Amino acid sequence: MRRESWYSYPMLALRRYLACVLTLSLLACGLPAVALALEKYGRPLPSMDDPNDTDRGSEESLFAGYLLTGAFAKNPSFAARPDNSGLVGLRHMIHLETDLYKQYLTFYTDQNFFSDRTNGWIELSEWDSTYAFTGVVDHFSWRLQYERDAPLDRRGIKQAYADGMITAKLQSAQDMAWWRKLFPNQSLTMYAGAGWLFHNSNYFARPDNTGRALFRYVAHADLDLYKNKVVLYGDVNFFTDRDGSNQAQPTEMDWIVGLALRWRDMELAVYHEQDQPLDKPGLTQKYLAVQMRFSFDVSKEDLGLSRMKSVTGSH
């Protein structure tokens, strides 16, 4: 009988736990009676990398990222500024990242802009800026991030926080033989984790701008329906209130479900978001959006820098 390594049983338990959490989260996305909330930056977007291309993931990116623009086709309540005024019309974003040391240390920034449909659609009304260090070790990822959300066209509330987060990731191509047997042409990628907002300058714990967020719990899944050209994705995000009687109890639940169609480095996505507090009645925000994204990735290998380093080190 084959012997199991010393870490196999904890890893098996972790994988089962993550599978249960993510499955329940995606089921929750389909329940029409549940209304949820979503942070505005780009973390919930599915990766445009091929989940079966393990070699590309091991290369160091000199610079990579994506540009996106989207229109909120239906928006009855999603606010265009941190003080919950206006209604978002358009969204524009740039994400940039560079590998400082392989996959273990990466720096990235997100610059996210919104316009107000009640003020002509074009003029920008909010600017959300994010700066972070992140890294990957085996199945685990870590992140240290600072985000600041501010109005652009008038004075008003600014929200800012710094947090740390750890997530664990599962991919069907490497971790789920049973999935590959049942669904050989549909790759599944999932992650789940928790974070701590150790610095919080007015970042709220509910969509109605009450409380201050303390902890964050996340779960995410990407289902490749056809050759990484048709991808179904879902994301669930919880916040807790540091001023509440139970600081670990979620006070807001964030939810997104979307369908992405891809051709080369371009992506057209349709997705839905919805916001609602969990511990009391309050403001609900939701919208349906159509979004275009263009990704780019120039690795050190592409420019021959890795080979130059190797040759230099051999002398």
Side-chain angles (χ1 to χ4, degrees), residues 30-284:
L31 296 177
V34 180
L36 315 167
L38 182 74
E39 56 204 350
K40 295 177 182 176
Y41 64 89
R43 179 189 56 82
L45 295 174
S47 171
M48 292 186 71
D49 294 336
D50 187 341
N52 296 311
D53 186 2
T54 56
D55 291 336
R56 189 67 179 103
S58 65
E59 296 178 9
E60 285 187 289
S61 289
L62 186 61
F63 60 90
Y66 53 80
L67 303 169
L68 70 80
T69 186
F72 285 40
K74 183 179 181 181
N75 182 8
S77 53
F78 201 84
R81 298 174 190 84
D83 63 2
N84 281 344
S85 62
L87 295 172
V88 173
L90 300 176
R91 175 192 185 193
H92 313 290
M93 179 179 173
I94 180 170
H95 170 89
L96 295 172
E97 63 183 62
T98 182
D99 290 334
L100 301 178
Y101 179 66
K102 299 181 179 179
Q103 75 273 24
Y104 303 115
L105 181 60
T106 298
F107 172 78
Y108 74 82
T109 180
D110 291 338
Q111 304 299 321
N112 210 3
F113 300 90
F114 298 88
S115 73
D116 187 351
R117 66 196 299 146
T118 66
N119 190 32
W121 284 77
I122 303 300
E123 183 181 354
L124 298 179
S125 57
E126 181 177 342
W127 177 16
D128 300 350
S129 54
T130 301
Y131 307 91
F133 291 98
T134 186
V136 179
V137 180
D138 193 23
H139 287 76
F140 298 92
S141 299
W142 62 270
R143 183 193 77 187
L144 289 174
Q145 174 175 277
Y146 173 79
E147 180 180 351
R148 179 179 181 270
D149 303 346
L152 278 176
D153 58 345
R154 65 181 70 168
R155 293 184 177 181
I157 294 174
K158 298 181 180 67
Q159 300 187 51
Y161 72 88
D163 77 345
M165 179 181 290
I166 296 178
T167 59
K169 183 178 182 180
L170 294 179
Q171 290 182 292
S172 60
Q174 291 85 32
D175 306 309
M176 293 179 280
W178 61 271
W179 178 276
R180 296 195 302 272
K181 184 177 180 180
L182 292 174
F183 309 102
N185 299 317
Q186 282 74 46
S187 299
L188 177 64
T189 300
M190 306 182 292
Y191 66 77
W196 169 39
L197 283 74
F198 54 86
H199 166 73
N200 187 342
S201 175
N202 222 24
Y203 199 84
F204 299 108
R206 299 174 190 84
D208 62 359
N209 287 0
T210 58
R212 288 190 305 142
L214 177 62
F215 297 121
R216 182 204 307 263
Y217 315 121
V218 301
H220 182 96
D222 301 334
L223 178 60
D224 181 2
L225 298 178
Y226 180 71
K227 298 182 178 180
N228 202 38
K229 298 183 184 299
V230 182
V231 178
L232 177 67
Y233 62 97
D235 191 273
V236 182
N237 188 27
F238 300 87
F239 288 103
T240 74
D241 188 350
R242 69 178 61 220
D243 302 319
S245 57
N246 184 349
Q247 294 182 332
Q249 177 183 347
T251 54
E252 180 180 339
M253 183 178 175
D254 302 1
W255 173 96
I256 182 172
V257 62
L259 183 67
L261 305 176
R262 294 171 177 171
W263 183 71
R264 296 184 179 177
D265 295 324
M266 293 180 289
E267 175 187 272
L268 173 65
V270 178
Y271 61 97
H272 172 72
E273 301 185 13
Q274 205 168 310
D275 302 15
Q276 186 171 323
L278 290 177
D279 59 339
K280 63 177 70 174
L283 175 66
T284 295

Side-chain angles (χ1 to χ4, degrees), residues 306-315:
S306 295
R307 291 190 296 272
M308 291 172 61
K309 181 178 180 181
S310 177
V311 171
T312 302
S314 65
H315 288 288

